[in-house]
Amino acid sequence: MPNFKKGLKMSKKEIWLNSGFTAESVKLVRDSIIDTSNKDKYVPIIVYINSYGGSVDALNVLIDTFNEVPNEIITVCLGTAMSAGAVLLSCGNKRFVGKNARIMIHEVSSWAMGTTTELKHSLVETTRMNRQLLKIIAKNTKKSLKELMKIFKDTPDFYLTAQEAVKFGIADYIGVPSVIETPVYHVVIDNKKLLTNDVKKKKIVKRGKKR
């Protein structure tokens, strides 16, 4: 198994979300991303995801943070990325998934309680939030809203293997990346190394297959 920290030693460019999406957990991730970006706007930021999901509001914090910083964001699923975790995985500029990882996407869940009137208003907001997330997934996977709605109608919890996640469009590569300091951009696919020029200071080594 690759040493994920090799090339990241003495740096804070490797960030883990190894829990549910809560206000507290995403604040730590956001703070790390902003701190890294402030120190070096060119260095790629790798966000590792191993999560069963959580709050949609917490997810939106990280999606907005990804869009806020100029750095390239690389998302990596090791273990599992379900619900909010899968959506965040799809939002990376480059997206990796471990060979044995599990991915699951579904519609927004509502835990609303209250009077009939309150439940009606809650349903309206849940429907709006669901459509918002479906648009994000559709954009990142190049699927139509109609396709996604049909999938979720037939399969409320839609599970994917690593290979299926790449085919579906949630991820780009099966494998893990590592950051190294180099004047060129290394791409390693099937043990064949391709080199291209790149002006950025820190680069990415891609390990694994792009399907």
Side-chain angles (χ1 to χ4, degrees):
M1 181 174 291
N3 180 356
F4 306 133
K5 294 187 178 180
K6 185 176 181 181
L8 293 163
K9 191 182 299 182
M10 299 178 67
S11 74
K12 294 183 179 178
K13 296 146 187 90
E14 177 186 282
I15 300 169
W16 276 87
L17 178 59
N18 202 28
S19 64
F21 283 68
T22 66
E24 294 76 15
S25 66
V26 300
K27 182 181 185 303
L28 293 174
V29 175
R30 173 181 164 77
D31 288 348
S32 296
I33 291 173
I34 297 299
D35 180 63
T36 299
S37 182
N38 287 338
K39 290 176 180 176
D40 189 342
K41 66 181 181 179
Y42 295 105
V43 65
I45 298 173
I46 304 178
V47 179
Y48 288 91
I49 302 166
N50 182 24
S51 174
Y52 288 96
S55 164
V56 174
D57 293 327
L59 167 64
N60 287 335
V61 169
L62 293 185
I63 292 175
D64 289 343
T65 301
F66 281 13
N67 293 329
E68 177 184 343
V69 297
N71 305 65
E72 183 177 51
I73 301 291
I74 294 90
T75 52
V76 185
C77 170
L78 290 178
T80 188
M82 296 189 181
S83 190
V87 178
L88 189 68
L89 171 65
S90 76
C91 291
N93 300 121
K94 291 185 179 70
R95 303 152 322 161
F96 292 76
V97 59
K99 182 178 179 181
N100 298 305
R102 291 194 305 151
I103 312 297
M104 188 273 283
I105 53 175
H106 60 188
E107 294 185 295
V108 172
S109 299
S110 174
W111 302 97
M113 298 177 65
T115 65
T116 301
T117 301
E118 289 170 337
L119 289 174
K120 286 181 180 178
H121 284 290
S122 178
L123 178 59
V124 170
E125 177 60 10
T126 300
T127 301
R128 184 196 69 80
M129 293 169 63
N130 187 63
R131 189 169 183 81
Q132 175 182 303
L133 283 189
L134 286 179
K135 285 182 178 180
I136 292 172
I137 297 172
K139 178 183 177 183
N140 295 342
T141 61
K142 296 181 173 56
K143 296 276 190 299
S144 68
L145 282 175
K146 187 176 180 179
E147 285 180 277
L148 292 176
M149 291 174 71
K150 183 180 186 307
I151 288 171
F152 295 136
K153 181 180 179 180
D154 296 338
T155 314
D157 288 338
F158 188 57
Y159 286 88
L160 299 161
T161 63
Q163 291 80 6
E164 290 167 342
V166 171
K167 184 177 180 180
F168 191 82
I170 286 180
D172 303 306
Y173 298 92
I174 296 174
V176 293
S178 64
V179 172
I180 59 174
E181 294 188 17
T182 173
V184 293
Y185 187 89
H186 295 249
V187 182
V188 180
I189 300 176
D190 288 337
N191 297 319
K192 295 179 181 179
K193 182 180 290 187
L194 309 177
L195 304 180
T196 59
N197 292 327
D198 197 307
V199 297
K200 291 184 178 180
K201 295 189 208 173
K202 309 281 194 302
K203 311 303 166 207
I204 292 296
V205 173
K206 296 177 187 173
R207 291 194 174 94
K209 297 180 180 179
K210 184 168 184 179
R211 303 291 173 126

